[in-house]
Each structure stands twice: as structure tokens, then as C-alpha cells.
Amino acid sequence: MNALIRAAENSTTPSPRTPPLPVPRVLVVDDREENLEAMRAVLDDDGSWQLLCVNSGEAALQCLLHDDISLVLLDVQMPGMDGYEVAELMHGNPRTRHTPIIFVSAIARTPELILRGYNTGAVDFILKPFDPAMLRQKVHNLLAYENNRRELQRLSQQLERERAFSVSILANAAEGIMVVGEDGLIQYANPAMVQMLGDEKAGNTANNLQGRAFLELLAASDAPQQDWTLSPFYQHWRKRQTYRQHEAALITASNAPLPVSLSCAPLPQPQRAMVILVRDISVEYNLHKQLESLIIADPLTGLLNRRGFLQAVEAALSRARRGDRKLALLYLDLDGFKAINDTLGHNAGDDLLYRISAKLRSGVRAYDSLARMGGDEFTILLDNLHSCNDAAKVAAKLLELVASEQRIGEMTFNLSASVGIACWPDCGDDVESLISAADMAMYEVKQNGRQHYRFYSPQMTANVHARIHLDQRLREAIDKQYFELLWQPQYCLDSGQLRGFEALLRWPRGNPDKLGPDQFISRLEETGLIHPLGKWVLNEGIGQLARLNQHFGAATTLSLNISPAQFAIPELIEELAQLLHSHNVPATQLELEVTESVLLKNLNTTQSQLRLLRELGIKIAVDDFGTGYSSLAYLSQFDLDVLKIDRLFITNMMASPRDAALVKTIIDLGEHLGLDIIAEGVETQAQRQWLLEQVEHGKAIMQGWLVSPALPFEAALKAPRQLDWGQVPLTLA
Ligand code: C2E
Ligand code: MG
Ligand code: MG
């Protein structure tokens, strides 16, 4: 085969069919006419050849030049150019070199002359007179010989053309082609194959490949067993079947794997070999890899996305099932990220997520999988652990990394995170149950003050079930109108004049656990059930305000709490306007209580929403002031009316100088910005007294058990318009 390759310079396509050979021509050369006549008489009557006669050497050469002559009967003695000379000239011409010559001579020749004749191409020497039958037989035999010679020549030329054609295909094919013997050794490799495996300088030549084991070229993962007879190539060859391997890798001269597809077909039996076609699929492979990495990567952080993470956990689980190591899955959620995102904008949020992802990456080992599941949720798979307790150390480290101070633009703030941990095999056997267990554990951390980590426990599943059960009961309570509003009066801190009421939600029926609004409102928010219930509160509250007016006159204020989700919907303004109109109460009597987080949610929409509410005439109070993201800078940006000091500060202010300072600052701030101050949860005269001392002109308002808890509507109607501080607390129930 190699010899074939070396000869492959020129290639022509073989002619599909060769025309039959023409009737052979016999040329008789003699200077004497009677001799020619005699020859004609002997040879002319046979149709199996054509006889041509000429009478000189020159004429003979002319004829040989133009006609295809199969045999020459050549007179030795001729005037001018004799027979030897003609024979010598014929011998010198490639066209006539092999044309057989019979010398005809009238006189006997010396052995030297006869030898000279044979040297110039004579195949026979006959003397005159000759036996005609003998001559005819000789002519017959020589023509048959010549015919065979020519046929052989034609066949060998055809063979050469076909060989060159095949060789040119092998040499010019873009695919690699190898012939591998039944012993698994390479017998032949075409130039494309050699090129594929690396340049010749690096040591791969057709010669070097020859004799090498084919399996040695395959990357280890594609040739798991190095035993050739067990390989699928040999096995298929034995059954005379074609074998294809769509994705394989060959080791190139530079030791890099080259992605290829292989097809291996048996060669005809006697060759005891197979031909392997090798296609370089590196372009497709790389594109596919690229696509795959896009599919499994999170574009913002470059970490794995959910899909990639699921794949990584699946792979780790199947490894772990074969060994005795443990796995832990961490679910990390940033605390309060949403507010940052809403306040500072999505670009700043993205920037922060990117930075956090880099910090998290620095806190885990290179082979741990880290993913962003969406939003501000990250998951980490800790592989190959001795003990699940090791996961706690990693969680603590990640919490510490996240907790470092962050700066976006002018603002610096401290971020924190909550982490749930699920271990394999204790907390679940598959990806989904592990993720869900870690998520549950994370949720528990959120519910219990954030900034920490927790391991999953079965109790958490019970909690999830309890939440699902609670959701059902909340739905039922909304449908069946089991909720009601209680009314807590607000009084001027020094004059004791009734300012108005805050309506507070209660769930008295179908609530065996006696859950307060603090416990169920967050759940209503999470499930979206807050919308129907929030509407009910607005309708009920504004409806009752009309009744309050009949009793107290139109100077009382009604405070309604509004949840973040409820505040965000654009229809809120329209709804409120309609309710105020249909219950015929002025907007100026209505006050909406929003928390700081509501204000910070989305600065632009909040500002416009507040402006529209203010245009209607509705007042805005910031509830639980001081507990949220106390960025005092934002206060001046909003149209506000009231600051409500959170109950916790009031409770602690007498004992804690820090809380006392905080309350004082809020009061000063309110006075400075022209906002009313309401102190919530005032329970004692001492607290009232202390507050009075802080407030200039005693203009603050109080609300709390010192006067009255929240009351059913009928009881609230009994609240005095003017309080005698000596008679508190009121017993109105
Ligand atoms: P909030 O708006 O800050 O309401 C004040 C809470 O403090 C009320 O608890 C009230 O009963 C309680 N409170 C008032 N005075 C005192 C006192 O002297 N001592 C003590 N220990 N507590 C006092 P409540 O009714 O359990 O409401 C808790 C929270 O639930 C409210 O805090 C408010 O954020 C939310 N909420 C209540 N009703 C609604 C509502 O209709 N819609 C929305 N979105 N949230 C509501
Ligand atoms: Mg409130
Ligand atoms: Mg409050």
C-alpha cells in the first residue's frame, strides 16, 4: 500500500470500457517484387490479419510510423537501407521497439549476423525458400504473442491508472483514513490522518503510525480496555459489521485530545483488516461545549445556574454512592437584598451580586460547585466530606465573607445572608429533596432572625406542612370573612385630646393558634393573599370611618396599615378614591401607615405613588420608624406627615440610654422636618411623662395600653374625645 502512495503523483480516471483490438497488420518488406508476390500468395488469403507490402526500408519506416503494425517480415538484403538498419531504427523508437520482426534472407548468415539480427529485435530468422505452412504458422503464433503482449500492456496501463486514481483519493481525502489489521496494528494512514494527529515535526508521520496499535491513539475514556480483541472495533470486525463511534477523542502529537467521530468497516476477507474513517469534529464539539456552558452558566456571575447545579449534584451523588464520603448542600440567601436592589437600582444590585459571587467562590474549594439559583439565592455543593459538621465551618466562613462592609457609590452598608444546610444521605437521597431540605433550613433561618446557618431537621418539613395548612386556613378565613378590625385610639400626649384611631387586623374565628397579625401578615404577603384581604381592610376601615364621623365628628383621623405588596399596585390610588367617594368621607381624615421598607422599595414609583396619595389629601405615616434601613437621607425626599416611633424603643427607652437617645433623635428629626410624632406602645405614665419632657410644646401623639388597647368598633365608640389623664387606662370594653 505504501508503494502505491509513493507513486501517486499523477492521477487519471480509468476508462470504464476498452474498445476491442483491431485486426492485426503484418508488414512485408522486400525490394524484389517477385518476393513480395510470393509472400502475398502465402499470407494474403487469411482474414485473421491484414497484409501490407512495401519494397524498401524507407517505405517500411514510413508505414510503421503511420500504421499500427503487429509483425514485420523484413528482408535482410535491400539496396539503400538494409534490414538491420530498419530493425535498429525500429528498436530506437518506443512506438516500434517491441514490434516483433522476422528476418527473411535468401542466403545463409554467419552466427554473428544472426545474433546482430536478434539484438535489433528479431524474433525469428527464416531462410528462403521457406515452407509456406511453416511461415503461416509462425505468423499466427507471433501475432497471438503480440496480441497478448499488447493486451497485457493495456491491462497494466489500466491498472496503473486505477491505482493512481485510488491513491489520489486517499491522498486528497479531507477525512482521516486508516487501515488497521486484525491484530489491531495500523497498516496504513492517509495524509489527512497524519495531519490530524499533529505535524510531522512532532513525530507523527505515516511511517511512524504504521505498526502502532490503533487503541494507543484513542484517549483513555474511549478505550477503557486496552485489550484489542475486547474492543468494539475488533468485535464488530469479527462479525463483519460496521461500527461507528460518534464521539471519540484521539491523542495528538502534542498530547491534546482531538474530538473525532469514527466509522470502522471490515475490508474484504482476504485482507484481514478494517478501514477506519476518522472525521475531525472539533469545531462542532467546541460549539457544543460553548452552548452547553451557556446553558449551564449564570451569565451575570459566571457561576453555574440551576440547571448546571442540578447536573453537578447528580454527578456528585452518583460518585458518592460508590464511596463512603458525604455531601452537603448549602442554600444561601442574601438578607434584605431586594430592598437594596429596589433602592439603588438593578445595575447596582447586579454589581453587588457579582462581588458576592466572587467572595463566595473564594470561600470554597476549587472542586466544590457553586451556583446562583436566581435572584439573590446561591447554592453550594460540598463534595467529599468526612463529616457533615464540616459544612458548618464552610457556612460560617461564607457568612463572614458576605458580612463584610459593602460600598455602592456613596453608600456603605453591611450585607448579611442566611444559610440552610442539607446533608446527604441524611436529609434526602436525590437532588430535589436535598435542595428542598436546604431551602427549608434557610427559610427557618430567615424566620428566626437571619444572619446565621441551620442544618435541616425533619421538624422543618413539619413546619412547611404547617405553613401549607395555614395558607389553606387563611384562604378560608378570607372567603368566609372571618377577619375583623379593632380600633386603638390615639391621644395628644399633653392635652389628652382624641386624635383618631388606628385600625388593627384581627382573625378571631378559624384561628385555633390565635395568630396575631405580626404572624400571619407576612404569610399573606408571601402568598399574595394580602391583596384580597388588604382590599377588605380598606373597604371595612373607610366604611367604619363614616360611622366614626357620625359619633366623633369629621375631625378624627383613621390610620390604616398598608403592606408593601399592597402599596406597590398602581390601582391603589383609584381604589382609595372610589372608597372615599362611595362612603362619603374626606380623604384628609385618612392616614396610611407604611413601613420604611415600603418607602425604599422603588424610589421612583414610591415617590409618585406618595405624591398622588398626597394630592388626594391622604396623610402618610412611617410606621415602626427606626427599625428599618434607617437612611435618614431619604426622609426629606418623600412627602410624609407622621413618624411613628416603634414600640420597642418606647418599651426600652427608660432603661436603655441608647434607646432613649434614639427616641429623642426621632422626635427632633420629626420637629425639624415638620412631621407629627406618634409614640406607639406607651404603657406607663412614666413613659408618657418622659416623652412629654422631650417634646417641644407637648405636640406629640401617643397610642398604647396606658390609655387603651385596640377595641371592637362598638367599644371604640365609647372613647372620650377629651381624656382625663388621671383616669387612664380606660375600661371601655
Ligand atoms: P403596628 O402597625 O405597629 O401596630 C401596633 C401594634 O402594637 C399592634 O399590634 C398593637 O395592638 C400593638 N400595641 C399597641 N399598643 C400597645 C402597647 O401599649 N403595648 C403592647 N405590647 N402592644 C401594643 P397588632 O395589632 O398585633 O399588630 C401588629 C402589626 O401587624 C402592626 O403593627 C401592623 O404592622 C400589622 N398590621 C395590623 N393590622 C394590619 C392591617 O390591617 N394591614 C396590614 N398590612 N398590617 C397590619
Ligand atoms: Mg401601624
Ligand atoms: Mg408600628
Side-chain angles (χ1 to χ4, degrees):
M1 188 61 89
N2 258 352
L4 293 184
I5 312 305
R6 282 194 295 275
E9 291 95 53
N10 306 312
S11 66
T12 42
T13 316
S15 54
R17 185 180 265 266
T18 333
L21 287 174
V23 179
R25 289 181 180 146
V26 177
L27 176 65
V28 180
V29 188
D30 204 311
D31 59 316
R32 303 169 76 109
E33 188 51 37
E34 62 271 27
N35 287 351
L36 291 176
E37 256 329 296
M39 279 296 188
R40 273 193 203 103
V42 174
L43 299 174
D44 214 13
D45 61 348
D46 194 315
S48 53
W49 63 73
Q50 190 189 345
L51 196 68
L52 300 176
C53 295
V54 292
N55 59 4
S56 70
E58 290 81 357
L61 289 175
Q62 276 296 321
C63 183
L64 280 160
L65 268 181
H66 294 112
D67 287 310
D68 183 20
I69 304 299
S70 296
L71 175 66
V72 181
L73 283 113
L74 189 56
D75 184 18
V76 177
Q77 265 185 315
M78 286 186 292
M81 190 184 285
D82 69 3
Y84 293 128
E85 219 175 319
V86 173
E88 269 158 13
L89 286 168
M90 280 175 68
H91 193 66
N93 187 335
R95 186 177 150 83
T96 49
R97 176 174 300 147
H98 299 293
T99 311
I101 301 168
I102 301 174
F103 275 121
V104 184
S105 181
I107 45 166
R109 301 271 133 190
T110 61
E112 288 76 35
L113 283 174
I114 290 175
L115 202 62
R116 185 182 166 202
Y118 282 122
N119 276 341
T120 53
V123 292
D124 207 350
F125 229 102
I126 57 173
L127 288 177
K128 293 175 201 170
F130 47 78
D131 177 356
M134 195 85 88
L135 181 64
R136 285 179 63 83
Q137 191 54 48
K138 272 191 181 167
V139 167
H140 251 296
N141 289 355
L142 283 172
L143 281 179
Y145 161 80
E146 174 62 6
N147 199 18
N148 285 344
R149 189 191 66 81
R150 288 181 176 213
E151 180 62 8
L152 209 64
Q153 190 183 33
R154 190 183 63 77
L155 284 174
S156 89
Q157 280 168 357
Q158 185 182 335
L159 207 65
E160 173 56 26
R161 278 198 303 274
E162 282 174 10
R163 188 201 60 79
F165 177 70
S166 311
V167 166
S168 104
I169 290 174
L170 291 171
N172 293 298
E175 320 291 25
I177 299 170
M178 273 188 282
V179 174
V180 174
E182 65 174 322
D183 52 4
L185 302 183
I186 298 170
Q187 295 178 352
Y188 163 73
N190 74 339
M193 189 68 245
V194 174
Q195 206 180 20
M196 235 183 250
L197 288 172
D199 62 7
E200 304 207 350
K201 272 179 261 147
N204 269 325
T205 63
N207 283 339
N208 281 357
L209 287 175
Q210 222 174 30
R212 270 182 73 183
F214 166 67
L215 286 188
E216 271 178 25
L217 294 184
L218 281 188
S221 56
D222 294 317
Q225 1 71 345
Q226 283 300 312
D227 186 339
W228 167 248
T229 54
L230 298 178
S231 76
F233 299 93
Y234 180 81
Q235 293 290 331
H236 282 78
W237 175 80
R238 265 191 51 198
K239 293 181 216 152
R240 307 220 42 79
Q241 288 170 346
T242 300
Y243 170 66
R244 290 178 214 283
Q245 199 166 324
H246 297 291
E247 267 186 52
L250 296 184
I251 302 290
T252 62
S254 53
N255 240 347
L258 173 80
V260 290
S261 82
L262 302 171
S263 72
C264 171
L267 285 171
Q269 202 100 50
Q271 280 170 263
R272 310 206 62 79
M274 61 200 77
V275 57
I276 299 182
L277 218 82
V278 184
R279 200 164 72 83
D280 177 351
I281 55 163
S282 47
V283 174
E284 294 97 313
Y285 182 84
N286 289 337
L287 282 174
H288 187 256
K289 278 272 158 245
Q290 228 173 311
L291 200 70
E292 215 170 45
S293 76
L294 284 179
I295 289 171
I296 62 163
D298 169 46
L300 173 64
T301 60
L303 303 179
L304 292 175
N305 62 12
R306 170 177 281 274
R307 187 191 175 116
F309 187 70
L310 294 185
Q311 281 178 12
V313 180
E314 291 279 13
L317 279 176
S318 57
R319 277 196 304 275
R321 286 187 189 110
R322 293 196 293 269
D324 60 349
R325 293 303 184 91
K326 301 199 183 316
L327 293 181
L329 198 153
L330 273 58
Y331 209 115
L332 182 148
D333 189 291
L334 299 178
D335 300 329
F337 172 77
K338 201 166 163 6
I340 294 169
N341 207 26
D342 291 341
T343 316
L344 301 174
H346 288 266
N347 284 346
D350 284 356
D351 185 40
L352 186 61
L353 286 174
Y354 182 78
R355 277 191 263 159
I356 293 293
S357 69
K359 277 178 184 265
L360 295 178
R361 169 61 54 229
S362 73
V364 296
R365 298 164 302 181
Y367 51 87
D368 291 328
S369 303
L370 177 59
R372 178 167 162 250
M373 300 294 262
D376 59 345
E377 295 179 3
F378 295 87
T379 46
I380 302 106
L381 175 73
L382 305 176
D383 206 349
N384 215 1
L385 297 177
H386 285 289
S387 146
C388 266
N389 290 334
D390 296 347
K393 290 181 207 147
V394 179
K397 186 171 166 195
L398 296 179
L399 286 175
E400 205 180 298
L401 284 169
V402 173
S404 58
E405 200 176 64
Q406 297 288 334
R407 168 178 276 275
I408 291 184
E410 296 289 279
M411 285 188 74
T412 51
F413 49 88
N414 288 308
L415 202 62
S416 66
S418 303
V419 178
I421 307 173
C423 295
W424 179 87
D426 310 342
C427 307
D429 198 40
D430 54 45
V431 190
E432 292 302 338
S433 46
L434 284 173
I435 291 182
S436 132
D439 188 17
M440 276 186 239
M442 187 275 291
Y443 185 88
E444 293 284 330
V445 179
K446 292 265 181 204
Q447 296 292 302
N448 289 281
R450 308 166 158 198
Q451 299 189 41
H452 204 60
Y453 64 83
R454 257 190 199 198
F455 281 92
Y456 167 82
S457 76
Q459 177 58 41
M460 293 175 185
T461 306
N463 293 349
V464 170
H465 291 148
R467 279 199 293 278
I468 293 170
H469 186 56
L470 172 63
D471 294 348
Q472 279 168 354
R473 281 196 290 129
L474 282 169
R475 265 191 200 95
E476 189 193 8
I478 293 171
D479 282 353
K480 298 191 173 163
Q481 304 204 341
Y482 283 168
F483 288 100
E484 68 179 36
L485 290 179
L486 292 193
W487 306 78
Q488 187 171 36
Q490 300 168 333
Y491 282 92
C492 186
L493 200 60
D494 67 340
S495 70
Q497 197 186 349
L498 179 70
R499 183 218 188 215
F501 295 87
E502 177 179 5
L504 293 159
L505 194 60
R506 290 291 175 273
W507 179 14
R509 273 160 296 154
N511 180 7
D513 309 323
K514 303 263 175 287
L515 298 178
D518 269 338
Q519 291 148 304
F520 64 76
I521 293 250
S522 58
R523 196 61 208 152
L524 288 168
E525 288 243 359
E526 280 170 36
T527 52
L529 288 171
I530 193 72
H531 294 294
L533 189 65
K535 263 188 190 175
W536 177 85
V537 169
L538 295 181
N539 185 40
E540 180 73 9
I542 294 171
Q544 297 292 50
L545 177 59
R547 284 189 61 202
L548 282 179
N549 282 350
Q550 290 166 10
H551 197 83
F552 294 104
T556 39
T557 303
L558 166 68
S559 293
L560 291 177
N561 292 284
I562 193 143
S563 82
Q566 211 183 343
F567 184 78
I569 56 167
E571 299 81 35
L572 177 72
I573 314 288
E574 181 65 34
E575 247 173 59
L576 282 166
Q578 257 177 14
L579 285 172
L580 290 165
H581 177 75
S582 63
H583 292 292
N584 196 25
V585 283
T588 45
Q589 276 189 273
L590 186 61
E591 181 171 273
L592 292 185
E593 295 190 9
V594 294
T595 53
E596 282 164 285
S597 60
V598 169
L599 295 180
L600 289 171
K601 212 164 174 217
N602 186 330
L603 285 182
N604 290 340
T605 20
T606 307
Q607 269 174 335
S608 72
Q609 194 86 324
L610 287 179
R611 207 187 49 247
L612 291 170
L613 288 169
R614 283 294 244 35
E615 277 169 15
L616 265 184
I618 295 172
K619 288 195 279 288
I620 307 294
V622 185
D623 206 353
D624 307 337
F625 187 72
T627 56
Y629 300 93
S630 293
S631 157
L632 298 182
Y634 74 82
L635 272 185
S636 56
Q637 294 183 31
F638 298 117
D639 297 327
L640 304 170
D641 301 276
V642 179
L643 294 184
K644 293 190 82 174
I645 308 174
D646 191 68
R647 180 155 57 85
L648 272 181
F649 301 131
I650 305 293
T651 309
N652 297 331
M653 67 189 180
M654 308 291 290
S656 150
R658 188 180 165 276
D659 287 327
L662 239 149
V663 172
K664 177 76 180 107
T665 312
I666 296 174
I667 292 171
D668 289 349
L669 191 76
E671 283 175 351
H672 180 72
L673 293 172
L675 305 176
D676 287 345
I677 297 290
I678 301 182
E680 288 188 291
V682 180
E683 295 185 355
T684 64
Q685 282 288 7
Q687 287 169 340
R688 174 178 162 259
Q689 208 51 51
W690 190 90
L691 285 165
L692 262 178
E693 285 160 20
Q694 316 306 316
V695 190
E696 244 176 79
H697 318 302
K699 269 196 66 204
I701 294 141
M702 62 89 34
Q703 178 183 342
W705 294 352
L706 170 64
V707 178
S708 166
L711 302 164
F713 187 74
E714 297 304 327
L717 289 180
K718 293 181 196 152
R721 279 181 227 195
Q722 178 64 52
L723 201 63
D724 175 355
W725 285 111
Q727 287 180 351
V728 294
L730 300 173
T731 42
L732 301 170

